[in-house]
């Protein structure tokens, strides 16, 4: 970029200086010609004649240049400056009048061209203002419609940025979270909710790299007294390679009472099942007694045996149907989604790394229908217990296909884990994010089981499968 005195002077002043330069150049030429003629003549008496001729020529040239400059200034420079002012006024001010062509008649087609530019500019500005007004009105209507929808939306809606700060929320969120003093714009979300399930869902969606997917989440309030289920979806601007700083939308439903009722319902069903199983066992015992030698005749014994056997079979059938319904109810409520085995392994490694632990992994490219964070937390707790008890070394996890499901296999070099120890571990709480639920509840939710066994290989090896 260049700058100088010339760029700071007005157009008319620069033209004036240009003509002054022409006049001075002409005078210099006349004086040089007179001096050269006198030098060639070498006649002192002719000095006066040369001076007079040079002076007359200089004054004449100066007058002619001044006259030409005056005409040029009046008909070119001044109209150009005025035309620039007219154009600038139409750019920065609401001037609608036409440009005066008479004042710029000696500028040729410049004035009409400037008029066309000004007219097009006014049309463009008018069209732009109308478009902006229409778009502003549309956005205002959409905002009012969105506010009305969110106000009556039966679930809590939270819009958060990449720093997990709340950018938008509805009134239902205030009711759900029950901490209006902490709920507000630009407030950290993790002051209200436990972060682990949400961070795991965000990490999984970020790896998937699509704004069309949503993750089911189950989380608790920061105090742990309220449980929420919901759906988390990343905003489209957040889906970019190598970035985990985009925003997301979280829709929450309060399921605290549902879970409490559910837990009571589960306890009741377990009691009923156990209560029915004992009479059924007694029936089978009675059958065994009746089949032993006694005071009954053969026909009586046969009739009693048939009746008792029929009752026992009916009771067993009822129990089987009841257990099947119990298992279906036990697992149908929990939010499940299809998650890649690689995502489960990645989430497990992230959770273990935060705890200073590690594990070797080997997994097949499977899609698991499960509660993602619940399963990860179950595996984390098992790894923690294996590490705390120092059961063995070289801990590894493999995920393999098994019929219509999958087998998760922990293995290590060391002693075999006892069934009693494993059962004790499974009775421990799953974590703050899942209220009163235990590791065993997480196992039953997934309609599976966990058992220890010894595997073949060099040295003593242990194995836990689920």
């Amino acid at each position: 970029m260049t700058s100088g005195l010339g760029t700071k002077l007005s157009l008319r002043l620069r033209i004036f200086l240009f003509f002054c330069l022409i006049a001075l150049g002409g005078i210099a030429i006349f004086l040089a010609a007179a001096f050269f003629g006198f030098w060639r003549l070498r006649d002192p008496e002719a000095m006066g004649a040369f001076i007079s001729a040079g002076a007359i020529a200089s004054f004449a040239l100066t007058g002619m240049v001044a006259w030409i400059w005056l005409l040029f200034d009046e008909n070119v420079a001044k109209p150009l400056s005025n035309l620039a002012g007219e154009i600038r006024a139409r750019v920065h001010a609401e001037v609608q009048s036409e440009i005066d062509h008479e004042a710029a008649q000696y500028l040729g087609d410049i004035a009409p061209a400037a008029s066309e530019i000004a007219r097009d500019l006014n049309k463009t500005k008018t069209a732009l203002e109308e478009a902006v007004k229409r778009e502003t009105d549309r956005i205002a209507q959409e905002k009012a419609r969105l506010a009305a929808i969110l106000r009556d939306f039966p679930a809590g809606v939270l819009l958060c940025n990449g720093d997990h700060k709340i950018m938008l929320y509805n009134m239902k969120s205030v009711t759900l979270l029950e901490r209006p003093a902490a709920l507000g714009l630009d407030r950290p979300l993790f002051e209200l909710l436990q972060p682990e399930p949400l961070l795991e869902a965000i990490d999984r969606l970020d790896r998937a790299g699509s704004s069309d997917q949503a993750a089911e989440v189950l989380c608790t309030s920061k105090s742990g007294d309220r449980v929420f289920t919901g759906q988390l979806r990343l905003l489209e601007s957040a889906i970019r390679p190598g970035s985990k700083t985009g925003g997301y939308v979280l829709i929450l439903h309060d399921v605290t009472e549902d879970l409490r009722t559910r837990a009571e319902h589960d306890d009741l069903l377990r009691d009923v099942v156990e209560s029915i199983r004992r009479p059924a066992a007694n029936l089978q015992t009675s059958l065994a007694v009746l089949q032993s030698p006694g005071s009954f005749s053969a026909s009586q014994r046969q009739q009693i045996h048939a009746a008792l056997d029929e009752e026992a079979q009916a009771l067993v059938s009822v129990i089987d149907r009841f257990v099947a319904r119990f298992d279906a109810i036990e697992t149908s409520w929990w939010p499940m989604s299809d998650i890649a085995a690689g995502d489960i392994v990645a989430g497990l490694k992230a959770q273990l790394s935060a705890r200073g632990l590690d594990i070797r992994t080997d997994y097949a490219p499977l899609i698991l229908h499960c509660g993602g964070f619940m399963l990860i937390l179950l595996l984390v707790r098992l790894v923690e217990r294996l590490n705390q008890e120092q059961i063995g070394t070289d801990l590894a996890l493999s995920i393999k296909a098994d019929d219509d499901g999958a087998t998760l296999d922990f293995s290590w070099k060391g002693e075999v884990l006892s069934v009693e120890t494993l059962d004790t571990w499974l009775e421990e709480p799953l974590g703050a994010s899942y209220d009163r639920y235990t590791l065993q509840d997480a196992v039953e939710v997934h309609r599976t089981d966990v058992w220890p066994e010894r595997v073949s290989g060099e040295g003593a090896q242990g194995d836990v499968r689920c």
Side-chain angles (χ1 to χ4, degrees), residues 40-174:
R40 290 292 303 271
L41 185 61
R42 298 182 184 276
D43 185 0
E45 295 181 357
M47 174 64 74
F50 278 101
I51 292 175
S52 298
I56 293 172
S58 298
F59 281 115
L61 177 62
T62 302
M64 183 181 66
V65 169
W67 178 66
I68 295 174
W69 164 78
L70 186 61
L71 292 177
F72 195 88
D73 180 72
E74 187 66 26
N75 296 289
V76 177
K78 187 176 179 180
L80 280 176
S81 297
N82 294 337
L83 185 61
E86 293 275 359
I87 295 175
R88 189 173 291 110
R90 282 157 178 77
V91 170
H92 299 290
E94 299 294 333
V95 178
Q96 301 294 334
S97 61
E98 287 287 335
I99 294 177
D100 185 10
H101 291 190
E102 289 295 328
Q105 57 181 331
Y106 294 105
L107 296 181
D109 199 38
I110 294 179
S115 296
E116 293 178 5
I117 293 175
R119 283 194 297 269
D120 290 343
L121 178 62
N122 287 331
K123 291 180 181 178
T124 302
K125 287 177 63 177
T126 302
L128 181 60
E129 289 172 355
E130 292 176 353
V132 170
K133 185 178 182 303
R134 286 196 304 270
E135 191 66 17
T136 302
D137 293 341
R138 187 188 68 81
I139 293 175
Q141 293 174 359
E142 292 292 337
K143 182 179 179 181
R145 189 177 297 115
L146 177 62
I149 293 174
L150 291 180
R151 184 175 59 250
D152 300 329
F153 198 67
V157 180
L158 297 168
L159 174 64
C160 302
N161 62 13
D163 295 325
H164 309 291
K165 292 186 177 180
I166 300 171
M167 306 304 294
L168 177 68
Y169 64 92
N170 64 346
M171 294 306 298
K172 184 65 175 178
S173 302
V174 179

Side-chain angles (χ1 to χ4, degrees), residues 234-271:
L234 298 184
L235 299 180
E236 187 173 357
S237 59
I239 307 299
R240 52 185 184 274
S243 173
K244 299 182 181 180
T245 58
Y248 54 92
V249 176
L250 179 62
I251 300 176
L252 293 176
H253 299 271
D254 189 350
V255 294
T256 306
E257 295 301 324
D258 293 339
L259 275 178
R260 186 174 292 113
T261 302
R262 179 67 187 172
E264 295 173 355
H265 183 56
D266 291 347
D267 293 339
L268 175 62
L269 289 178
R270 288 191 182 96
D271 292 341

Side-chain angles (χ1 to χ4, degrees), residues 312-384:
Q313 292 297 328
L315 184 57
V316 170
S317 177
V318 170
I319 293 173
D320 290 340
R321 290 197 305 270
F322 189 79
V323 170
R325 291 179 59 189
F326 174 78
D327 290 339
I329 295 173
E330 180 75 12
T331 58
S332 62
W333 180 88
W334 290 87
M336 301 284 184
S337 58
D338 293 333
I339 304 176
D343 288 338
I344 296 294
V345 170
L348 173 63
K349 282 184 170 292
Q351 292 289 328
L352 292 178
S353 177
R355 294 166 170 79
L357 301 174
D358 195 12
I359 186 174
R360 292 189 298 107
T361 56
D362 179 31
Y363 58 91
L366 303 175
I367 301 297
L368 308 180
H369 187 71
C370 61
F373 187 69
M374 174 184 281
L375 180 58
I376 290 173
L377 200 56
L378 169 63
L379 300 178
V380 168
R381 293 302 305 276
L382 289 175
V383 172
E384 285 182 326

